[in-house]
């Protein structure tokens, strides 16, 4: 809580568990507006809870859910908005929460990528009715597996803690339908160790991020996700956009780098709406989210981790630049 600048936190076994518990705690039902451009757990938490996901398009600059599209999708069955802070870039929280307040909706933020991210108002995790952060091994701060739910008040935290512990009221009373969603002591211990070095970890990632940006700026047809001084970054991911001016498609670049031992991720591809369990919904039609569909075919996340050397970053960027000149040769 002290590090993140939040008042109440409940540790859980995973961010997916956190999402399920958040939906239960807020008594969300019927329909929830969300994004197709996310890891599948975002939508799975809804479907698993018997809630219909309604997918709307994303903003082409931030890759976050587009508030204008949220407004258009609200019906009498809409109960909440589930928005992702994509790659750690904060959503337009003021616009989202204004819509939610005016229309009587709850707001849950999938803040899986947003550990330590702050805006001018403090931690981005303090927004919404609840925020869920991931501590999975792939995240900036990790407990190998785990997550957390950030609550706005003590009453919410106490109830969520009960839901994470089978619904126990005390040693002998079970008054709430809960599950075993607690974080294990081993994962918690790893998290305490991580906290000792997290500032250094983020600093190293920032140096890698800056070097990537410097090198990639000279490559025609490749661009980077925009940053802003309006919020801090945790440098969780380094997505690039493989545009039409580049001689290779995103998938072709992915395969070439893979053959050379550079493991990138097409993150998030395919869109959630392309999976069979979501095709039944009218909002899954690609015509409803053309921006998300376009970007899902362009984005490639390059390797970024604290021990990635300057030499390796330069090599990766050099390969991408050389493919621009000689796209056929490996």
């Amino acid at each position: 809580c002290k590090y993140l600048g939040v008042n109440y936190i409940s540790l859980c076994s995973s961010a997916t568990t956190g999402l399920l518990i958040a939906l239960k705690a807020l008594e969300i039902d019927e329909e929830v507006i969300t994004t197709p451009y996310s890891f599948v757990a975002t939508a799975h938490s809804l479907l698993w809870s018997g809630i219909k996901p309604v997918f709307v398009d994303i903003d082409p600059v931030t890759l976050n859910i587009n508030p204008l599209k949220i407004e258009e999708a609200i019906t009498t069955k809409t109960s909440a908005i589930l928005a992702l802070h994509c790659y750690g870039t904060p959503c337009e929280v003021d616009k989202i929460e204004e819509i939610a307040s005016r229309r009587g909706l709850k707001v849950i933020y999938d803040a899986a990528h947003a550990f330590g991210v702050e805006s001018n108002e403090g931690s981005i995790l303090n927004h919404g009715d609840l925020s869920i952060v991931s501590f999975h091994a792939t995240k900036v701060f990790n407990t190998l597996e785990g997550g957390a739910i950030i609550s706005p008040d003590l009453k919410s935290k106490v109830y969520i803690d009960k839901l994470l512990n089978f619904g126990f009221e005390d040693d002998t009373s079970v008054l709430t339908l809960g599950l075993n969603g607690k974080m294990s002591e081993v994962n918690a211990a790893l998290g305490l160790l991580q906290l000792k070095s997290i500032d250094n970890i983020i600093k190293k990632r920032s140096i890698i991020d800056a070097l990537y940006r410097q090198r990639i700026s000279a490559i025609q047809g490749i661009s980077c996700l925009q940053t802003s001084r309006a919020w801090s970054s945790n440098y969780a991911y380094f997505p690039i956009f493989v545009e039409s001016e580049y001689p290779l498609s995103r998938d072709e670049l992915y395969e070439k780098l893979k053959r050379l031992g550079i493991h990138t991720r097409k993150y998030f591809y395919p869109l959630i709406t392309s999976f069979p369990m979501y095709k039944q919904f009218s909002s899954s039609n690609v015509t409803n989210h053309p921006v998300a569909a376009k970007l899902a075919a362009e984005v490639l996340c390059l390797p970024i981790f604290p021990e990635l050397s300057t030499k390796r970053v330069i090599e990766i960027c050099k390969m991408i630049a050389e493919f621009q000149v000689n796209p056929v040769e490996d």
Side-chain angles (χ1 to χ4, degrees):
C1 287
K2 182 179 179 180
Y3 183 85
L4 292 175
V6 301
N7 292 322
Y8 302 103
I9 193 167
S10 301
L11 301 177
C12 48
S13 57
S14 71
T16 304
T17 300
L19 288 168
L20 292 168
I21 292 293
L23 293 167
K24 176 70 173 177
L26 295 175
E27 299 182 342
I28 306 300
D29 59 9
E30 296 202 87
E31 295 181 358
V32 169
I33 296 172
T34 191
T35 171
Y37 193 78
S38 181
F39 185 60
V40 72
T42 305
H44 272 6
S45 67
L46 297 172
L47 211 56
W48 192 270
S49 302
I51 298 166
K52 178 183 177 181
V54 176
F55 299 101
V56 301
D57 212 354
I58 61 175
D59 180 271
V61 176
T62 66
L63 281 61
N64 288 323
I65 194 167
N66 187 332
L68 294 176
K69 300 299 181 180
I70 292 174
E71 187 85 62
E72 295 172 3
I74 296 173
T75 71
T76 56
K77 294 183 178 181
T78 306
S79 58
I81 301 164
L82 174 53
L84 170 75
H85 298 304
C86 190
Y87 305 133
T89 299
C91 293
E92 295 183 74
V93 292
D94 292 340
K95 291 183 180 180
I96 291 173
E97 289 165 25
E98 186 279 326
I99 293 170
S101 176
R102 177 162 42 84
R103 303 298 291 268
L105 306 177
K106 299 291 186 181
V107 178
I108 299 174
Y109 286 108
D110 183 336
H113 305 168
F115 181 92
V117 175
E118 295 185 348
S119 68
N120 296 331
E121 300 173 350
S123 175
I124 200 68
L125 302 177
N126 283 320
H127 287 273
D129 292 280
L130 294 171
S131 285
I132 291 83
V133 64
S134 174
F135 299 156
H136 184 263
T138 58
K139 301 302 186 290
V140 172
F141 171 85
N142 81 86
T143 60
L144 194 58
E145 182 61 276
I149 305 169
I150 287 76
S151 301
D153 53 66
L154 181 59
K155 181 180 178 181
S156 297
K157 175 190 162 47
V158 169
Y159 182 52
I160 285 169
D161 287 345
K162 291 175 184 177
L163 292 176
L164 288 168
N165 188 32
F166 304 100
F168 273 103
E169 190 77 20
D170 53 41
D171 290 347
T172 57
S173 302
V174 178
L175 301 180
T176 303
L177 182 63
L179 49 75
N180 185 9
K182 306 181 298 298
M183 177 181 284
S184 78
E185 286 82 353
V186 173
N187 295 119
L190 180 59
L192 289 173
L193 291 175
Q194 284 267 311
L195 274 175
K196 294 180 179 179
S197 56
I198 189 62
D199 286 333
N200 189 43
I201 287 170
I202 293 175
K203 182 179 179 180
K204 286 182 178 180
R205 296 178 81 105
S206 72
I207 294 170
I208 295 167
D209 180 282
L211 182 57
Y212 266 137
R213 290 180 183 278
Q214 177 190 1
R215 292 280 171 164
I216 285 173
S217 64
I219 305 175
Q220 186 176 0
I222 302 290
S223 61
C224 304
L225 186 66
Q226 294 184 21
T227 59
S228 172
R229 292 184 179 180
W231 65 80
S232 65
S233 176
N234 61 11
Y235 310 97
Y237 299 88
F238 194 83
I240 60 172
F241 302 90
V242 184
E243 300 165 341
S244 58
E245 294 82 4
Y246 192 74
L248 300 175
S249 69
R250 187 277 310 279
D251 290 353
E252 289 170 335
L253 178 58
Y254 168 85
E255 292 296 339
K256 278 182 171 287
L257 290 173
K258 185 178 180 180
R259 289 197 292 272
L260 293 169
I262 308 300
H263 296 280
T264 60
R265 290 195 69 182
K266 295 182 279 187
Y267 204 58
F268 301 99
Y269 174 85
L271 293 177
I272 293 173
T273 46
S274 69
F275 297 126
M277 65 287 299
Y278 296 105
K279 288 184 177 181
Q280 61 180 300
F281 304 116
S282 59
S283 66
S284 293
N285 191 302
V286 70
T287 59
N288 291 326
H289 36 75
V291 175
K294 178 179 181 292
L295 294 176
E298 292 182 352
V299 170
L300 191 65
C301 287
L302 301 182
I304 182 166
F305 52 92
E307 304 312 318
L308 183 63
S309 68
T310 297
K311 179 182 177 182
R312 194 57 167 163
V313 172
I314 292 172
E315 287 175 349
I316 293 169
C317 295
K318 186 178 180 182
M319 290 176 196
I320 296 172
E322 288 176 348
F323 293 151
Q324 182 185 26
V325 179
N326 300 302
V328 177
E329 298 179 11
D330 284 341

